[in-house]
Amino acid sequence: MLLLVLFASCRSTRLLEADQALVTKVEIDGIDPQFAEGAQAYIPPALRPNSRINLFIYNLANARKGRYRTTNIRNVGEPPHILDSALVDFSTQQIARYLLSKGYFNATVDQDIIRRGKRAHLHFHVVPGEPFTLRQVDVDIADTALVRLYAERLSATSPIKPGSRYDADSLVAERERLYYLMRQRGYYDYLRQYMRVDVDSTLQRNQADVRLIVDNPEGRTGHTQFHIDSSFVVIKHDRAELNQPVPDKTEWEGQLAFEDYTGRFRAAPIARYLFHRQGDTYNANLENLTYDRLYELNGFRNVKINYEKVDSNRLNVYYELVPRPYMGNQIEGEYTFNAGMSGFNIGNTFTHRNLFGGLEQLEVKLRYGVLFDSRLSGGLLDRVFNNDFQIGVNITVPRLITPFAVPPVGRSGLPRTVFSANIQAFDQRQTYSNRYFSGTLSYNWFDTRYKQHNLTPIVLEYRYGRLNSEFAQDLIDNGFLLYVRSNNRAYFGLGSQYAYTVNAARLSRLENFLYFRGAVDLSGNLLGLAGTVIDFKRNVDGEREILGVPYLQYAKVETDIRYYRYLGGDRQLVVRLNPGVAIPYGNNSSLLIFEKSFFGGGMNGIRAWQARTLGPGNYNRKVLDPGLRLNLRNLDQLGEIKLEGNIEYRFKLVDDIFGAKLKAATFADFGNIWRFNENELNPGGEFKFDRFLGQMAIGAGAGLRFDLDYFVVRLDAGVKVRDPQFDGAQQWVISEFFNNRAFKEQYRLTNAPDRYHFVQYNFGIGMPF
């Protein structure tokens, strides 16, 4: 890419006419740094330097016989920004007007154009002078009710105060603040135009007086506060032939007229999220809140809220709803390839958006995945390394279904009750098979707009996992009996989960904020308590059993803390820390089950390692027999303790490339996983306070993000810097990066069939965190 940029810069002017010049540099000097970015925005895009890559693409696509095409111009890349003296003059005037709006009434702006061959540099020289400050601020509101409202709600926080710098944007912001306050307090027909501003800048010593004037409607002595009289809901298809000829009319709590021309909806679930009630004062916030909740119900394609004046101070509300298709089906697939193994996943999702007439959503997911190992002999079916079949059923109800009354929680977000059931059948070649069932009851609600709770009081699990008999015997022969017992068995789990999340709604914004997510997962406590009074049957390992299988007991806690720092433009710095710990105890105190264990590496973690190939601790797979190294892949590198951190700097490369914004990131990742206790399976994998820092893996890299607004396509390349599977100074594997052939050959001799990869590529949808 660097060579491409250099080449593009050398060839960027070759197609221009002799009298044309490409704008390659624009500078504004003499201006206060806090206004520099704002002043730059007043220079038209056609007068700013081109993106070299985009210009190169445009030149490549539109060059013809040493000149630009005049017909059949291909709309790719970015056309050259040619010097235009009229645009330069216009920019000079616009910068001066911008400074005037910021209180620099005596500012002067000069321009200087420097041409060097077919390139032009533009310099705007600013002499700002002293800014004007406000000497006196008067507020003249004709309506006495508004005088009190303004004094109580806006006056103390207003940026327009004596002694402050004059700023036209602050005056506009004050008008907006008053407008929204009026709309929140019932003044339905209040307009922005009722507020105007008089400015007297003829005073001495660079001072100005400001007078804020709020007029009454013409011919009236004050503004009218409106109240809600009646509400009407009409549900219709957008295609008239689909509507029923005579709708059912229902009165809900005496204040809602409900007309459903589709015959599919009940009134109560919809009325629950219509926040304007009879007798309420009109409030624009409640109107916007109603829009949000009705769309979040995921059952309506179009929502319109209209108001009609009944008399001088009463409104009727009309809700016009157009439903989405009741059922939908989606098929998706993906192809995977890594380290000589390839495969595919295919899934089908069926959705019903109004199962019982209350906008309950049914979702049925089917998924099948298969992975082939090219190193195995035989035909295609003989090379199947693993295959995975899953089916899941979810029913989502847009309210909290509880055996006791709960206060309304719909104002900050749509509450949901989710019933879920999942079945999985997984088989790995000559190693392992697993049959898994889970059923859950979950509650999701918002405490405030940015604080979310997820409570799952019932988590029911059943697993029947079996190791291949020959593989299990091989493990036993090599001293891994404990591992065989922990995986070659069935279990039953009954537990609860809870997660608390702050600022998840801000993740797509460019601003400063702290994100937090804390999760607790408990299992077996009720069964353990019951075991004190009930004599459960025990198996040969002394584990209590229920329904013929041992039950789980463990506690798992994980937190995700991130700090997002906005650096202006499209630049952002993200710092993340992700620790976790899982403690098996009681009925299964030996090892944590596979599904609840932590792993290192992957596209959203330490990206220089493939998922489940890092750690635990200093563990190196060379201690295993070669046959075990092949069959234990992704099964032996798990842990009960996790500490992971990331630092990522994000920025924009190109505004428009094939319809997407091309963004980039540089990153550094660190961390590892550990086991609580030393065991034969993972020598060196136990956690010790005096040495865990010396077992940290470090990776660094860069990536590209194609931002299509509605989703992001991501490609990251991570390079191993420090690898804890080695000893001492050998951990700094980055020193072998340019001598990697000999290093990789030595690794192959000790760790075959594993191969060492300094660079790990990760392809994904969405940001890593």
Side-chain angles (χ1 to χ4, degrees):
M1 182 170 287
L2 177 61
L3 292 175
L4 180 64
V5 171
L6 292 174
F7 177 75
S9 64
C10 295
R11 306 282 288 172
S12 59
T13 61
R14 63 187 177 85
L15 302 176
L16 298 181
E17 302 291 341
D19 60 339
Q20 293 179 324
L22 181 71
V23 177
T24 58
K25 187 176 183 180
V26 177
E27 288 184 338
I28 303 176
D29 57 50
I31 194 171
D32 190 317
Q34 66 176 312
F35 303 125
E37 188 173 345
Q40 286 279 357
Y42 282 86
I43 299 174
L47 208 59
R48 301 175 193 170
N50 285 93
S51 160
R52 291 181 177 180
I53 295 177
N54 277 355
L55 178 58
F56 171 73
I57 295 172
Y58 182 88
N59 288 347
L60 193 66
N62 291 287
R64 186 175 184 181
K65 296 181 179 179
R67 296 177 178 272
Y68 282 115
R69 292 172 177 265
T70 57
T71 59
N72 299 323
I73 298 175
R74 296 168 181 170
N75 188 24
V76 295
E78 182 181 68
H81 295 167
I82 306 299
L83 176 65
D84 185 333
S85 58
L87 279 181
V88 176
D89 292 338
F90 175 74
S91 300
T92 303
Q93 297 170 9
Q94 290 296 99
I95 293 172
R97 290 176 181 174
Y98 169 71
L99 293 172
L100 178 67
S101 73
K102 294 300 179 182
Y104 293 92
F105 291 167
N106 299 320
T108 60
V109 182
D110 296 322
Q111 57 181 263
D112 187 14
I113 303 175
I114 301 174
R115 293 191 58 165
R116 296 175 180 172
K118 290 186 178 182
R119 291 180 171 82
H121 295 178
L122 307 182
H123 296 271
F124 296 95
H125 305 284
V126 175
V127 181
E130 291 296 322
F132 274 61
T133 57
L134 302 183
R135 187 191 70 168
Q136 184 173 328
V137 178
D138 295 323
V139 180
D140 185 1
I141 302 178
D143 190 332
T144 55
L146 267 60
V147 172
R148 293 191 299 272
L149 184 60
Y150 183 86
E152 293 173 359
R153 305 295 299 178
L154 298 182
S155 180
T157 58
S158 174
I160 307 170
K161 296 183 180 297
S164 62
R165 176 178 50 81
Y166 172 87
D167 190 340
D169 290 337
S170 295
L171 298 175
V172 174
E174 188 71 0
R175 183 172 70 172
E176 288 297 301
R177 291 198 328 142
L178 179 60
Y179 171 75
Y180 285 112
L181 177 64
M182 296 289 285
R183 298 277 292 180
Q184 293 164 11
R185 294 307 179 98
Y187 296 95
Y188 168 74
D189 55 2
Y190 178 85
L191 303 175
R192 292 178 175 86
Q193 291 83 346
Y194 286 131
M195 177 178 166
R196 51 193 175 89
V197 180
D198 286 344
V199 181
D200 182 3
S201 60
T202 62
L203 305 175
Q204 300 297 320
R205 298 179 181 177
N206 289 357
Q207 291 184 322
D209 287 344
V210 170
R211 186 181 179 205
L212 306 181
I213 304 170
V214 182
D215 294 323
N216 285 331
E218 186 176 356
R220 288 158 57 183
T221 59
H223 293 267
T224 303
Q225 195 174 44
F226 283 82
H227 301 272
I228 304 301
D229 185 72
S230 300
S231 299
F232 303 86
V233 176
V234 178
I235 304 177
K236 285 185 178 182
H237 288 292
D238 54 353
R239 293 168 53 190
E241 64 271 18
L242 297 178
N243 293 318
Q244 296 182 1
V246 180
D248 295 328
K249 295 185 178 181
T250 306
E251 293 290 331
W252 189 80
E253 292 187 359
Q255 56 180 279
L256 174 68
F258 184 81
E259 296 183 3
D260 180 13
Y261 286 80
T262 69
R264 293 179 177 268
F265 295 90
R266 293 183 286 116
I270 296 175
R272 187 177 293 114
Y273 300 111
L274 306 181
F275 293 97
H276 267 141
R277 302 295 184 183
Q278 190 174 42
D280 287 350
T281 301
Y282 168 79
N283 188 331
N285 285 350
L286 295 181
E287 177 184 344
N288 294 332
L289 192 59
T290 300
Y291 270 116
D292 291 343
R293 297 300 167 268
L294 291 179
Y295 276 118
E296 285 181 51
L297 288 171
N298 200 34
F300 300 111
R301 182 170 59 189
N302 192 20
V303 176
K304 290 184 180 179
I305 303 177
N306 299 311
Y307 297 88
E308 183 181 279
K309 294 181 181 178
V310 179
D311 52 30
S312 61
N313 67 343
R314 290 187 300 160
L315 297 171
N316 281 342
V317 191
Y318 294 87
Y319 302 92
E320 299 177 9
L321 311 178
V322 177
R324 298 180 63 186
Y326 304 115
M327 291 178 284
N329 198 71
Q330 179 179 347
I331 300 176
E332 56 189 355
E334 63 180 2
Y335 175 78
T336 60
F337 177 81
N338 199 315
M341 302 184 71
S342 60
F344 63 86
N345 296 307
I346 186 169
N348 185 87
T349 302
F350 168 78
T351 304
H352 194 300
R353 298 184 177 89
N354 189 33
L355 188 61
F356 304 120
L359 294 156
E360 302 86 359
Q361 180 168 299
L362 168 68
E363 190 174 67
V364 180
K365 291 185 176 182
L366 298 173
R367 180 181 177 275
Y368 176 71
V370 63
L371 191 64
F372 299 94
D373 192 338
S374 61
R375 291 165 289 189
L376 299 174
S377 60
L380 183 64
L381 295 180
D382 296 323
R383 298 185 179 186
V384 174
F385 182 72
N386 66 41
N387 56 72
D388 185 10
F389 173 76
Q390 299 179 34
I391 180 171
V393 179
N394 296 325
I395 298 177
T396 303
V397 182
R399 65 186 180 93
L400 300 183
I401 301 177
T402 60
F404 48 85
V406 294
V409 292
R411 288 182 176 255
S412 298
L414 186 70
R416 293 180 174 91
T417 301
V418 182
F419 302 89
S420 177
N422 296 278
I423 298 174
Q424 179 187 26
F426 175 85
D427 293 285
Q428 183 163 295
R429 177 187 175 89
Q430 298 180 355
T431 304
Y432 181 68
S433 66
N434 184 45
R435 303 296 180 264
Y436 180 75
F437 167 80
S438 70
T440 62
L441 167 64
S442 301
Y443 299 105
N444 306 321
W445 75 95
F446 290 83
D447 186 24
T448 67
R449 183 181 178 186
Y450 298 110
K451 297 179 181 179
Q452 183 178 2
H453 302 263
N454 301 91
L455 173 63
T456 307
I458 299 176
V459 180
L460 181 65
E461 297 177 285
Y462 177 82
R463 170 194 170 196
Y464 187 84
R466 282 292 179 264
L467 295 171
N468 174 275
S469 57
E470 295 181 2
F471 177 56
Q473 187 59 50
D474 196 9
L475 286 173
I476 295 172
D477 293 341
N478 284 273
F480 298 136
L481 176 62
L482 185 62
Y483 187 78
V484 172
R485 290 180 177 179
S486 66
N487 288 274
N488 198 26
R489 66 169 185 168
Y491 70 75
F492 176 84
L494 178 62
S496 301
Q497 298 172 353
Y498 172 73
Y500 176 62
T501 309
V502 180
N503 283 331
R506 288 191 166 104
L507 288 178
S508 60
R509 303 179 189 175
L510 292 173
E511 57 185 51
N512 300 330
F513 64 93
L514 184 70
Y515 169 89
F516 173 82
R517 186 180 189 275
V520 179
D521 183 359
L522 305 173
S523 183
N525 290 331
L526 288 178
L527 295 177
L529 183 63
T532 61
V533 295
I534 300 175
D535 186 17
F536 287 117
K537 181 181 177 181
R538 294 177 180 265
N539 59 21
V540 294
D541 296 319
E543 299 168 323
R544 295 184 177 93
E545 293 185 340
I546 185 171
L547 300 178
V549 296
Y551 62 82
L552 294 177
Q553 275 189 284
Y554 66 86
K556 182 178 180 180
V557 179
E558 184 176 7
T559 60
D560 188 348
I561 306 171
R562 313 173 199 168
Y563 176 64
Y564 290 80
R565 176 72 177 178
Y566 178 49
L567 302 175
D570 283 274
R571 294 173 295 131
Q572 186 181 46
L573 178 68
V574 184
V575 180
R576 174 176 179 252
L577 189 64
N578 179 208
V581 60
I583 305 173
Y585 61 91
N587 209 42
N588 62 315
S589 58
S590 56
L591 282 176
L592 196 66
I593 61 172
F594 177 87
E595 290 84 355
K596 301 300 179 179
S597 297
F598 294 111
F599 65 87
M603 68 176 64
N604 298 321
I606 305 176
R607 284 160 281 186
W609 278 262
Q610 185 182 357
R612 287 180 288 275
T613 62
L614 172 62
N618 292 125
Y619 171 58
N620 189 318
R621 283 167 53 85
K622 71 179 182 181
V623 301
L624 297 179
D625 177 86
L628 290 178
R629 279 200 293 270
L630 174 64
N631 289 322
L632 271 179
R633 186 186 293 112
N634 293 338
L635 290 176
D636 57 334
Q637 296 185 261
L638 304 170
E640 295 91 38
I641 301 173
K642 169 186 176 181
L643 180 59
E644 182 179 293
N646 315 85
I647 301 174
E648 181 166 296
Y649 173 63
R650 300 168 181 172
F651 54 96
K652 182 173 67 177
L653 288 179
V654 179
D655 272 321
D656 185 10
I657 179 168
F658 305 112
K661 291 181 180 179
L662 179 59
K663 298 182 179 180
T666 58
F667 57 82
D669 306 323
F670 63 91
N672 205 337
I673 59 168
W674 294 267
R675 293 204 178 273
F676 267 115
N677 302 310
E678 182 178 359
N679 62 68
E680 296 179 352
L681 178 63
N682 303 120
E686 67 277 7
F687 181 86
K688 299 289 186 181
F689 277 104
D690 58 349
R691 69 181 189 184
F692 82 95
L693 290 177
Q695 297 173 331
M696 287 288 186
I698 300 176
L704 297 175
R705 288 93 165 91
F706 294 88
D707 188 350
L708 298 170
D709 291 334
Y710 45 92
F711 71 92
V712 175
V713 179
R714 174 168 56 92
L715 177 64
D716 287 331
V719 179
K720 294 180 177 66
V721 176
R722 183 187 188 193
D723 193 337
Q725 69 174 302
F726 302 110
D727 298 322
Q730 293 180 343
Q731 290 186 349
W732 296 97
V733 294
I734 191 65
S735 63
E736 302 289 342
F737 185 76
F738 296 103
N739 186 34
N740 59 47
R741 179 174 297 182
F743 183 87
K744 289 182 177 180
E745 178 61 23
Q746 179 61 35
Y747 189 84
R748 187 188 66 80
L749 293 176
T750 59
N751 291 67
D754 294 354
R755 295 180 180 274
Y756 199 83
H757 299 278
F758 280 93
V759 181
Q760 175 67 35
Y761 298 99
N762 298 282
F763 176 81
I765 302 297
M767 302 300 284
F769 41 81

